[in-house]
Amino acid sequence: MQAEGVLSLGPAPERPDGAAARPDDAAALLDERDEWLAFSQRAAGAESGHWASSVAFEGMHCAACAGTIEQALRAVPGVLEADVSAAGQRGRVVWDERRTRPSRWMAALQGTGYRALPAHDPQASELRQAETRRMLWRLGVAGLCMMQVMMYAAPSYFTAPGEITPDIMALLRWAQWVLSLPVLLFSCQPFLRGAWRDVRRRQVSMDLPVALGMGITFIVSSLGTFEPDGLFGHEVYFDSLTMFVFFLLGGRWLELRLRDRAAGALEVLMHRLPDSVERRGADGEWTRVVVRRVRVGDVLRVLPGESFPADGALTAGATTVDEALLTGESRPVPRAVGDTVIAGSHNLSEAVQMQVRQVGAQTRYAQVVALMQQAAVSKPPIAQLADRLAKPFLIFVLLAAGAACAWWWPQDPAHALMIAVAILVVTCPCALSLATPAAMLASAGALARRGILTRRLQAIEALAAVDTVVFDKTGTLTRDAFALRQLTLRPGVTREQALALAAALARHSLHPISRALVGAAQAADLRLPAAQGVRETAGQGVEGVVEVAGQVRRVRLGSAAFGGAATASDAGPVSHLVDEEGPIACFEFDEDLRSDAPAAVAALYAAGLKVQLLSGDHVQAAQRIAALAGIDEALGGCSPGDKLRHLQALQGSGARIAMVGDGLNDGPGLAAAQVSFAFGQAVPLAQAQADFVVLGGQLTAIAGAWRQAVHTLTIVKQNLAWALVYNAVGVPLAMLGWMPAWAAGLGMAASSLLVVLNALRLSGGRALEGV
């Protein structure tokens, strides 16, 4: 949804062997710029032509699957990075448009048994729902056959040897074999296909040991059916086969449903834009067009119940709008002619007309989605460790099963094989690999529903360990809008001259005081002179060359230290305007404490955290605001470098810090702290360096997020402990022959299910209540 003509698509890239790659027609459509811009953004910090695409994957279910997909994507020429999350079933692919296109690297997954789709594509949800329905059918067939097989197997368990004649026993076995065929040929297909894929690609995933277990059980039982007097004829295990297939499929189906629910906030947010909208043509007629064809300046008509497709302003009508998922505002807000509306918000009451101001990646909605997608594919250190251990662990499982089989073989070959099957099934590392990401994703979803966006899942883990919260003052503890209260002038300078000169520099800055000066000049309807060579020093001020009345003057606007002037007041923020001759004007502003600041600070102290305030304003103003907010420690007159050094000194003494700033001039502090929060509606979300972005600007969100992080880490530790204890108990039991195959399947399914259910407790966000 970006303006056309920015960059020509150019010819399709060729394969290294010179032959043109031939993606299928559906995937080739994604090679059109308008199409890939819908799910891609320019890679941050990369050179031109590098794109980061958000992708959903079909058919994956474990950490080893994620590793296989990453390896396949990274092997494609032109793909620079590939990060895949097993818990979120999503990934981020960074690619070079001069060497490849989305259809090429998506086609690379065709031979792996997985499928990639744009993360925004509604078809991704439809395919996942279709996959869930197929799994439900497979589960139903396995369950029905399991019950019948158990009915035919029961006589051998409840009768003494010799009570059933050999011909009847053979008939019962043949009945079990026939009923097991649909389970093997239909219900087991996901595991068998995955195992065959692994064998062909020389990979190891969870499907390989499970499929081996299924195959061994069926073959041993079939031999016992065909040759009752042979080596494996004394017992068959069709009941165990059907039972553990049923348990595995049941666990996987429930796991899919629960994981979809855990990631629901991202799913809901990503599908808020409508597919089409009514646009007014040159003849004044309304025609319905697809949203990606909307351009800046278009006039659209949005009906009740529809979402706004772009950022803009209302030109006709009045309505109420639901912006909850985008701003954290829980109640509908009124919007009338001239008011701003944002993409992704819902029109609730009346049909309105809007003029488009921002589309595509420039909208607030796109920036919010990009942050959430980034969080969905990020991997905390604990999860990365589990992913690295998954494949070696599976190899260990295969070796352990082989060793146990060899040990038990001399006593009873059939029993030895079934012990190997139990080991193969019981030791699946799914619970271990899901323990951390499932909890982190559920927690990030709960935070998102309260208007707190998580840019990196690692930040949740780091936030739980924080013991000190450091606030910036301007735009964070105080409102980011100021009113000019008093103006002190140099003799011979009028109010209008000083205000116009200051605003000429201030309009090149996003600082709240600069915006207040520009607003005051606009309210006075002043004509601003042109400023050349404007340069901003973060946290200090702006300077440049301004031509006034035919004279070129170098002017500075900012703090007393920056301008070389004396501080005129200690009642609030002050900005000084100076030139080569000295001070021109001193602007004093009214600054109000946010209404929820005292409650937010009190909640942090009640949680046992230390709280400090750092400000670039003079000491008296910083201490005044700190006293009003209830903060004990305050430092004023701090440049960004001073703030950074103070944070580093705190960290050197062992403190773990959460920095809270407005994201404008707090970059060094936000980057240096263990965890950072960005406030302020004017901050471009895509450029924010903070770990968390608070959309609603509510300071009470800090304490709520900290409680949620602590609760999340508790859940993660519980999940990891369960996964480790389960394997520590299950493996010895299986090797000793005390765990039948059906019990191994039940244990494997139950372990993964328990981990996801435990993580799902976080999605309610009870720790966030009151935010």
Side-chain angles (χ1 to χ4, degrees):
M1 297 189 293
Q2 198 167 334
E4 293 178 337
V6 177
L7 181 67
S8 63
L9 185 62
E14 297 185 346
R15 295 190 311 221
D17 59 6
R22 287 187 170 281
D24 60 79
D25 292 340
L29 292 175
L30 298 176
D31 292 345
E32 296 181 13
R33 167 171 283 271
D34 274 348
E35 295 292 341
W36 91 54
L37 284 176
F39 63 99
S40 307
Q41 289 188 325
R42 291 197 180 277
E47 61 181 86
S48 176
H50 290 186
W51 297 88
S53 298
S54 297
V55 191
F57 295 100
E58 177 190 7
M60 63 176 299
H61 48 264
C62 69
C65 297
T68 299
I69 294 173
E70 288 176 349
Q71 186 173 354
L73 289 173
R74 289 168 183 165
V76 177
V79 172
L80 309 176
E81 298 177 27
D83 297 300
V84 180
S85 167
Q89 295 183 317
R90 296 182 180 274
R92 177 176 177 270
V93 181
V94 179
W95 51 282
D96 186 346
E97 67 172 312
R98 292 162 296 191
R99 300 174 59 196
T100 188
R101 287 290 190 272
S103 63
R104 273 63 173 184
W105 47 261
M106 286 185 177
L109 294 179
Q110 290 178 355
T112 65
Y114 306 104
R115 182 179 177 185
L117 288 169
H120 76 285
D121 195 337
Q123 189 182 5
S125 295
E126 295 172 5
L127 287 173
R128 193 164 59 251
Q129 291 172 3
E131 181 185 1
T132 304
R133 286 194 297 269
R134 285 195 300 270
M135 188 168 294
L136 192 57
W137 273 105
R138 298 183 197 279
L139 176 63
V141 170
L144 180 63
C145 293
M146 175 193 70
M147 290 187 290
Q148 298 301 313
V149 167
M150 290 178 64
M151 181 178 69
Y152 290 117
S156 62
Y157 289 112
F158 299 111
T159 59
E163 285 190 35
I164 302 178
T165 60
D167 56 333
I168 297 298
M169 182 63 72
L171 183 61
L172 292 174
R173 289 187 176 187
W174 276 103
Q176 294 176 57
W177 183 82
V178 170
L179 288 166
S180 297
L181 283 177
V183 177
L184 183 72
L185 299 178
F186 178 66
S187 298
C188 294
Q189 282 307 298
F191 305 102
L192 299 179
R193 281 201 305 266
W196 177 241
R197 174 197 65 214
D198 292 341
V199 170
R200 285 190 294 112
R201 295 182 60 85
R202 298 180 182 179
Q203 299 287 333
V204 179
S205 76
M206 175 274 240
D207 288 330
L208 184 58
V210 169
L212 280 175
M214 294 173 179
I216 291 171
T217 305
F218 185 79
I219 291 172
V220 168
S221 301
S222 296
L223 291 175
T225 301
F226 300 153
E227 298 182 8
D229 299 325
L231 184 63
F232 304 106
H234 70 281
E235 190 174 357
V236 294
Y237 305 95
F238 293 117
D239 53 340
S240 292
L241 170 66
T242 55
M243 286 177 70
F244 78 68
V245 170
F246 175 76
F247 290 142
L248 291 180
L249 288 173
R252 185 173 289 189
W253 176 72
L254 287 171
E255 185 183 318
L256 280 175
R257 296 291 302 272
L258 293 172
R259 282 197 290 184
D260 286 347
R261 181 179 165 190
L266 177 60
E267 197 73 32
V268 169
L269 183 64
M270 289 178 59
H271 295 149
R272 284 177 73 90
L273 288 188
D275 295 326
S276 62
V277 67
E278 291 184 354
R279 180 173 64 183
R280 189 171 67 192
D283 57 359
E285 295 295 324
W286 297 97
T287 57
R288 187 160 286 274
V289 298
V290 293
V291 167
R292 64 176 175 272
R293 301 302 180 188
V294 172
R295 296 291 180 262
V296 173
D298 287 349
V299 176
L300 309 177
R301 181 164 62 186
V302 182
L303 303 177
E306 291 184 339
S307 295
F308 290 95
D311 291 352
L314 294 187
T315 58
T319 186
T320 54
V321 178
D322 177 11
E323 300 179 348
L325 278 180
L326 297 170
T327 66
E329 176 59 57
S330 59
R331 291 171 293 185
V333 292
R335 291 288 182 261
V337 173
D339 289 342
T340 299
V341 290
I342 55 179
S345 58
H346 277 302
N347 180 16
L348 297 179
S349 53
E350 302 291 338
V352 293
Q353 296 178 25
M354 65 173 291
Q355 186 173 38
V356 176
R357 292 179 178 175
Q358 298 283 355
V359 297
Q362 284 72 45
T363 64
R364 185 178 181 84
Y365 168 82
Q367 295 168 5
V368 169
V369 169
L371 289 180
M372 294 192 68
Q373 288 175 336
Q374 180 179 346
V377 300
S378 62
K379 296 181 180 179
I382 299 178
Q384 293 174 6
L385 177 62
D387 287 357
R388 288 195 299 269
L389 292 176
K391 285 190 176 180
F393 183 76
L394 285 171
I395 294 173
F396 164 77
V397 167
L398 295 174
L399 295 176
C405 182
W407 174 264
W408 285 94
W409 188 271
Q411 300 181 35
D412 186 343
H415 185 59
L417 287 171
M418 295 311 296
I419 288 176
V421 168
I423 295 173
L424 290 172
V425 175
V426 77
T427 52
C428 172
C430 278
L432 185 63
S433 62
L434 286 172
T436 298
M440 295 292 184
L441 262 184
S443 193
L447 288 167
R449 283 189 288 272
R450 301 301 179 100
I452 308 168
L453 295 187
T454 306
R455 295 187 73 238
R456 289 176 286 271
L457 292 184
Q458 300 95 312
I460 298 177
E461 182 181 345
L463 180 59
V466 161
D467 56 23
T468 303
V469 179
V470 177
F471 284 96
D472 174 56
K473 179 177 72 67
T474 305
T476 304
L477 281 177
T478 60
R479 302 184 188 281
D480 58 359
F482 298 94
L484 182 60
R485 175 171 53 86
Q486 184 174 335
L487 178 56
T488 304
L489 301 169
R490 184 168 73 189
V493 178
T494 67
R495 175 186 176 88
E496 289 73 18
Q497 290 173 337
L499 191 55
L501 193 58
L505 291 176
R507 64 181 174 180
H508 294 275
S509 170
L510 287 175
H511 194 278
I513 290 180
S514 296
R515 294 202 303 273
L517 284 170
V518 173
Q522 291 174 342
D525 197 21
L526 299 178
R527 183 178 179 181
L528 305 184
Q532 305 293 330
V534 178
R535 182 171 63 89
E536 182 173 10
T537 302
Q540 296 295 309
V542 290
E543 60 181 318
V545 176
V546 182
E547 183 176 350
V548 180
Q551 294 183 344
V552 176
R553 304 162 66 182
R554 175 163 290 279
V555 186
R556 285 189 167 199
L557 174 71
S559 65
F562 183 74
T567 301
S569 171
D570 62 357
V574 177
S575 188
H576 301 271
L577 181 68
V578 299
D579 61 6
E580 294 92 338
E581 299 178 9
I584 300 175
C586 175
F587 303 90
E588 301 177 39
F589 299 86
D590 283 327
E591 183 179 31
D592 292 329
L593 186 72
R594 289 181 185 266
S595 59
D596 62 341
V601 171
L604 292 172
Y605 276 126
L609 302 175
K610 299 177 182 177
V611 183
Q612 293 187 3
L613 183 147
L614 299 180
S615 175
D617 287 339
H618 47 82
V619 176
Q620 294 89 341
Q623 291 178 343
R624 181 180 72 87
I625 294 297
L628 291 173
I631 298 176
D632 297 332
E633 300 180 59
L635 293 178
C638 297
S639 67
D642 294 332
K643 294 180 182 179
L644 178 60
R645 285 186 287 274
H646 180 74
L647 293 177
Q648 290 172 337
L650 287 175
Q651 290 170 329
S653 63
R656 300 189 64 82
I657 299 169
M659 176 71 185
V660 186
D662 62 3
L664 292 169
N665 54 20
D666 300 312
L670 294 175
Q674 277 85 1
V675 185
S676 52
F677 289 81
F679 280 74
Q681 297 296 328
V683 181
L685 295 179
Q687 299 175 6
Q689 295 303 308
D691 298 307
F692 298 93
V693 177
V694 183
L695 299 178
Q698 298 171 338
L699 289 171
T700 51
I702 305 296
W706 179 82
R707 290 193 299 269
Q708 180 76 3
V710 171
H711 188 34
T712 301
L713 208 60
T714 301
I715 295 294
V716 167
K717 290 177 180 178
Q718 291 173 355
N719 284 349
L720 289 173
W722 162 252
L724 293 173
V725 169
Y726 160 74
N727 280 284
V729 173
V731 173
L733 290 177
M735 295 187 74
L736 290 171
W738 295 348
M739 180 175 288
W742 66 266
L746 178 60
M748 171 192 164
S751 64
S752 297
L753 193 59
L754 182 63
V755 163
V756 177
L757 279 171
N758 196 34
L760 202 61
R761 294 165 52 201
L762 293 163
S763 61
R766 279 181 290 180
L768 289 162
E769 291 180 0
V771 174

